[in-house]
């Protein structure tokens, strides 16, 4: 390993291209992909010293890998975190954060508007280890306060939320966490660090599904945990090293290279999504449009205070419930039906029968996941083509 450029006071677009880069003696311009499981030692003494931590160096790719390290360092620079650790998926990042930080007897408060698998971990898996939870309306600061117990160790939220794009006031929730000595963990998958940096609002830990906007092209799964050095040293490192939710170096390399275009991609996603949201708002068969940067979004001002753009996802409701939503989705000729999001390709899903199918009807109603709701992940195609596709599909909805 040779040169490492010295990051000065670089802005986020420069950090996304440059942060963390380490070059081999070949002086390659693009970051190298180290597809290796293990590392060799010059002699047995060196192996012993590396395992003791007396000298720096990699030992095994479950513990660390040079390509993965660059991805971690670049993500930490973008999120304003001290350190980052990459994982195989977003769910591995969420689960590892819970398991590393919590123990039997602890209590978690979480915003109800949460991705389905996160809800499963909180409600089904944590109780098996004696960890209780309370779900609250994330938009209601008093509800967070009221749910706190002496045993509350963690507050968990995503903003904007999946799929109804609810916005949580991170500063207010961070204050409640701080007063009670608890950790605030924010899932930043929907905004990405290009649009929102939760640590600036007081979050202690940020988790990501890098599968989404960080990859940005629907190719590979990945996740990331951003935290401070103390949480890494006291809790996370030993958990990850021994349980092994590690990312493949290949996926880390894809996501690392994708970070270089994140900022310009997010701007284009926001531009297309804002345009489609406004277009949908004019359509007779559309009864509700949810997009954080539209003035009719219930937390529009908060969204503008926390985010630099409205994001790439629009949720909307069609008159006529599930049957109309299905007719619309089936009539689309360009936009694909898919439950993934954050792709260059526009993707639509019907949350009530896919991502939120496992919830009871009452639980879906509380979250606003109505039978007519569709979630549209707006891609990077031409906005005219996307509007035309929705317009013709709405005619048969
Ligand atoms: C907000 C949010 N968090 C976490 C995840 C899980 O990520 P992954 O699919 O990479 O495990 C998702 C996936 O859709 C998500 O939308």
């Amino acid at each position: 390993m040779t040169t490492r450029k010295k990051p000065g006071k670089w802005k986020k677009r420069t950090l996304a291209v440059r942060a963390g880069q380490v070059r081999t003696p070949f002086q390659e311009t693009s970051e190298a992909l180290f597809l290796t499981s293990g590392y060799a030692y010059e002699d047995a003494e060196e192996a012993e010293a590396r395992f003791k931590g007396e000298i720096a160096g990699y030992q095994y790719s479950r513990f660390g890998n040079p390509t993965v390290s660059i991805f971690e360092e670049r993500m930490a620079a973008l999120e304003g975190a001290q350190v980052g650790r990459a994982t195989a998926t977003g769910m591995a990042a969420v689960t590892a954060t819970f398991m590393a930080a919590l123990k039997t007897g602890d209590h978690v408060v979480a915003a109800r508007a949460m991705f389905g698998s996160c809800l499963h971990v909180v409600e089904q898996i944590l109780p098996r280890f004696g960890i209780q939870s309370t779900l609250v309306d994330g938009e209601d600061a008093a509800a967070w306060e009221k749910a706190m117990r002496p045993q509350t160790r963690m507050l968990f939220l995503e903003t904007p939320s999946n799929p109804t794009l609810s916005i949580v006031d991170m500063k207010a929730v961070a204050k409640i966490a701080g007063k009670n000595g608890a950790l605030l963990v924010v899932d930043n998958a929907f905004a990405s660090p290009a649009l929102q940096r939760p640590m600036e609002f007081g979050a202690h830990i940020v988790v990501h599904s890098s599968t989404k906007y960080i990859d940005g092209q629907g190719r590979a799964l990945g996740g990331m945990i951003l935290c401070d050095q103390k949480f890494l040293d006291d809790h996370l490192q030993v958990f990850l090293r021994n349980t092994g939710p590690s990312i493949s170096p290949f996926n880390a390399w894809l996501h690392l290279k994708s970070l270089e275009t994140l900022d310009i991609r997010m701007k284009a996603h926001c531009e297309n999504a804002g345009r489609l949201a406004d277009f949908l708002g004019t359509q007779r068969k559309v009864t509700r449009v949810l997009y954080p940067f539209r003035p009719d979004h219930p937390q529009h001002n908060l969204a503008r205070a926390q985010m630099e753009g409205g994001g790439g996802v629009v949720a909307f409701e069609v008159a006529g419930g599930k049957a109309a939503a299905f007719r619309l989705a089936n009539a689309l000729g360009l936009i694909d039906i898919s439950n993934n999001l954050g792709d260059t390709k526009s993707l639509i899903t019907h949350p009530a029968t896919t991502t939120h199918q496992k919830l009871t009807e009452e639980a879906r109603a509380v979250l606003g996941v109505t039978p007519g709701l569709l979630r549209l992940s707006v891609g990077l195609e031409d906005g005219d083509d996307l509007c035309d596709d929705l317009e013709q599909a709405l005619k048969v909805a």
Side-chain angles (χ1 to χ4, degrees), residues 88-94 114-118 156 158-162 187-190 207-212 220-223 255 339-341 355 375:
T89 65
M91 283 320 301
V94 170
M114 197 186 333
F115 177 57
S117 292
C118 297
F156 179 77
E158 64 187 56
T159 182
S161 71
N162 185 2
D187 182 336
N188 199 26
F190 263 50
V207 288
H208 271 285
S209 165
S210 58
T211 316
K212 307 295 186 275
L221 302 175
H255 291 188
N339 51 285
N340 196 17
L341 64 95
T355 51
R375 186 197 73 194

Side-chain angles (χ1 to χ4, degrees), residues 177-315:
K179 225 167 49 186
N180 291 269
L183 295 169
L184 171 60
V185 181
V186 175
D187 182 336
N188 199 26
F190 263 50
S192 91
L195 302 182
Q196 174 174 273
R197 284 167 299 284
M199 285 182 176
E200 290 175 1
F201 299 93
H204 302 97
I205 299 175
V206 174
V207 288
H208 271 285
S209 165
S210 58
T211 316
K212 307 295 186 275
Y213 289 103
I214 289 166
D215 178 88
Q217 290 150 83
R219 302 167 300 185
L221 302 175
M224 182 68 68
I225 306 163
L226 291 317
C227 59
D228 65 13
Q229 189 69 46
K230 185 165 165 45
F231 182 75
L232 182 74
D233 293 344
D234 293 353
H235 301 280
L236 191 61
Q237 187 67 23
V238 69
F239 182 85
L240 295 176
R241 181 183 170 106
N242 291 297
T243 59
S246 339
I247 192 169
S248 146
F250 180 70
N251 288 9
W253 180 80
L254 285 177
H255 291 188
L256 165 70
K257 297 306 290 175
S258 283
L259 281 178
E260 298 178 1
T261 55
L262 179 69
D263 206 57
I264 53 176
R265 282 188 287 109
M266 288 315 290
K267 281 194 172 68
H269 279 293
C270 291
E271 190 184 314
N272 259 358
R275 174 165 173 202
L276 287 202
D278 288 343
F279 166 78
L280 288 164
T282 64
Q283 299 299 300
R284 190 179 44 86
K285 286 185 186 162
V286 174
T287 52
R288 188 167 61 127
V289 178
L290 289 165
Y291 184 65
F293 268 30
R294 259 174 73 87
D296 60 358
H297 186 284
Q299 299 129 300
H300 169 244
N301 290 334
L302 179 60
R304 288 202 178 253
Q306 295 187 161
M307 300 171 72
E308 287 173 34
V313 178
V314 180

Side-chain angles (χ1 to χ4, degrees), residues 90-108:
M91 283 320 301
V94 170
T95 309
T97 302
F98 283 133
M99 299 310 278
L102 302 169
K103 61 180 188 325
T104 303
D106 287 346
H107 175 248
V108 176

Side-chain angles (χ1 to χ4, degrees), residues 13-226:
R13 202 136 152 189
T14 309
L15 290 171
V17 178
R18 294 283 189 167
Q21 182 165 18
V22 176
R23 290 193 168 123
T24 74
F26 293 117
Q27 293 285 318
E28 63 283 347
T29 49
S30 174
E31 293 75 359
L33 166 54
F34 289 93
L35 272 183
T36 183
S37 312
Y39 306 83
Y41 311 97
E42 282 301 312
D43 47 41
E45 285 76 13
E46 187 188 353
E48 182 184 24
R50 276 208 222 166
F51 267 78
K52 276 187 174 163
E54 289 169 355
I55 56 170
Y58 293 96
Q59 301 150 29
Y60 187 52
S61 283
R62 169 152 48 81
F63 314 157
N65 170 284
T67 306
V68 175
S69 297
I70 302 174
F71 177 42
E72 292 168 343
E73 207 169 306
R74 194 165 292 178
M75 279 294 293
L78 287 176
E79 285 284 4
Q82 287 177 4
V83 287
R85 283 295 176 269
T87 53
T89 65
M91 283 320 301
V94 170
T95 309
T97 302
F98 283 133
M99 299 310 278
L102 302 169
K103 61 180 188 325
T104 303
D106 287 346
H107 175 248
V108 176
V109 183
R112 196 175 283 117
M114 197 186 333
F115 177 57
S117 292
C118 297
L119 192 65
H120 179 86
V121 174
V122 170
E123 290 219 293
Q124 307 296 324
I125 297 179
L126 295 185
R128 286 171 28 206
F129 298 91
I131 299 159
Q132 303 304 316
S133 61
T134 306
L135 298 183
V136 297
D137 173 358
E139 297 171 18
D140 180 358
W144 287 96
E145 187 97 57
K146 198 163 149 234
M148 298 300 289
R149 298 181 193 165
Q151 305 82 358
T152 306
R153 277 279 302 138
M154 186 185 286
L155 284 69
F156 179 77
L157 62 93
E158 64 187 56
T159 182
S161 71
N162 185 2
T164 49
L165 305 166
S166 160
I167 309 289
V168 181
D169 185 340
M170 290 183 278
K171 236 186 222 168
V173 180
K175 210 163 145 195
I176 296 165
K179 225 167 49 186
N180 291 269
L183 295 169
L184 171 60
V185 181
V186 175
D187 182 336
N188 199 26
F190 263 50
S192 91
L195 302 182
Q196 174 174 273
R197 284 167 299 284
M199 285 182 176
E200 290 175 1
F201 299 93
H204 302 97
I205 299 175
V206 174
V207 288
H208 271 285
S209 165
S210 58
T211 316
K212 307 295 186 275
Y213 289 103
I214 289 166
D215 178 88
Q217 290 150 83
R219 302 167 300 185
L221 302 175
M224 182 68 68
I225 306 163
L226 291 317

